[in-house]
Amino acid sequence: PGYHIIERKGIRRYEIDIYGKAAHSSTPEKGANAIVEAACKIKALASWQPPEGVTVNVGVVEGGTAINAVAEHCQFLPDIRYTADEQIPVIEDFLQRIVDNNEVEGTKSTLKLHGYRVAMPRAKRNEELLERLNATYARAGLSSVVASKGTGGSDASDMTSYGIPVVDNAGATGACNHSLDEFARISSLLENAKRVIAAILYL
């Protein structure tokens, strides 16, 4: 059967900036390499055992000015997904400890929130909307869908945080998100378009 998402993770994205000291690559001992310090912090993040439901990824790293120079600055952006607001202080406490612990002498680091999206916890209002949609699909001669939990973020989370009933993922189905192998099943477009039309007409 098809599925609609009624529960999603939240997103916390951060900027971690490392400031070191520039020097010529022939005399690295005169500098403090911000890229090396960033590597230490990224490794610490990668080895973290976070609370259940929390995931960590570093997808962007920028630093340095030239191959023959000790990097004076480096920045990386951790993307952290979570399931409940109670996990946010745990996440930020761990990040702050990483930022405060500078292994490369002469470096210092800062932490800043880059962006966020609230979580969409499972809620009765969303479950009830899914039940109403399935009744509508049956009236239109369409198959029912099952409730699902999404691992990614969505604008739907913002809507439901204001008490608005929401179901998500009414479009095409597919897999391998955000990779060169990402695809959508063309065959799913017609069925899901019928469901959307049925909801507009009958809900």
Side-chain angles (χ1 to χ4, degrees):
Y3 66 92
H4 284 342
I5 292 172
I6 62 172
E7 181 179 3
R8 282 192 179 275
K9 287 186 174 184
I11 304 172
R12 306 285 289 185
R13 290 174 174 154
Y14 298 87
E15 294 179 11
I16 295 181
D17 286 274
I18 299 96
Y19 301 92
K21 181 181 178 182
H24 194 273
S25 62
S26 64
T27 54
E29 71 279 2
K30 294 182 179 180
N33 198 316
I35 291 177
V36 174
E37 180 59 38
C40 295
K41 296 185 188 306
I42 292 169
K43 183 178 179 181
L45 271 173
S47 61
W48 184 35
Q49 298 296 317
E52 184 177 357
V54 175
T55 58
V56 181
N57 179 66
V58 176
V60 175
V61 181
E62 296 179 343
T65 55
I67 194 170
N68 64 338
V70 174
E72 187 174 23
H73 175 256
C74 186
Q75 180 189 83
F76 65 95
L77 307 178
D79 178 294
I80 301 179
R81 308 298 170 105
Y82 67 98
T83 57
D85 288 347
E86 293 76 18
Q87 295 170 329
I88 295 175
V90 178
I91 292 166
E92 295 194 338
D93 178 70
F94 182 75
L95 287 175
Q96 191 62 57
R97 282 189 278 123
I98 286 178
V99 167
D100 291 342
N101 180 32
N102 295 295
E103 298 187 29
V104 176
E105 186 178 354
T107 61
K108 60 181 180 179
S109 309
T110 62
L111 172 68
K112 182 172 71 174
L113 182 64
H114 180 77
Y116 70 94
R117 177 162 282 160
V118 297
M120 185 168 84
R122 196 176 186 100
K124 185 172 179 59
R125 59 181 175 272
N126 295 348
E127 294 174 344
E128 291 173 345
L129 177 57
L130 182 61
E131 291 175 3
R132 291 182 62 194
L133 283 170
N134 273 329
T136 297
Y137 299 155
R139 179 180 177 184
L142 301 169
S143 61
S144 63
V145 297
V146 298
S148 179
K149 178 180 179 179
T151 56
S154 170
D155 295 338
S157 301
D158 297 317
M159 294 175 63
T160 196
S161 70
Y162 289 102
I164 301 170
V166 173
V167 297
D168 202 1
N169 195 61
T173 60
C176 303
N177 295 15
H178 306 324
S179 75
L180 293 176
D181 297 319
E182 182 174 359
F183 68 91
R185 295 183 180 89
I186 296 176
S187 60
S188 69
L189 287 171
L190 180 58
E191 183 76 6
N192 286 331
K194 289 179 180 178
R195 289 196 179 102
V196 170
I197 291 170
I200 293 170
L201 291 176
Y202 302 130
L203 188 62

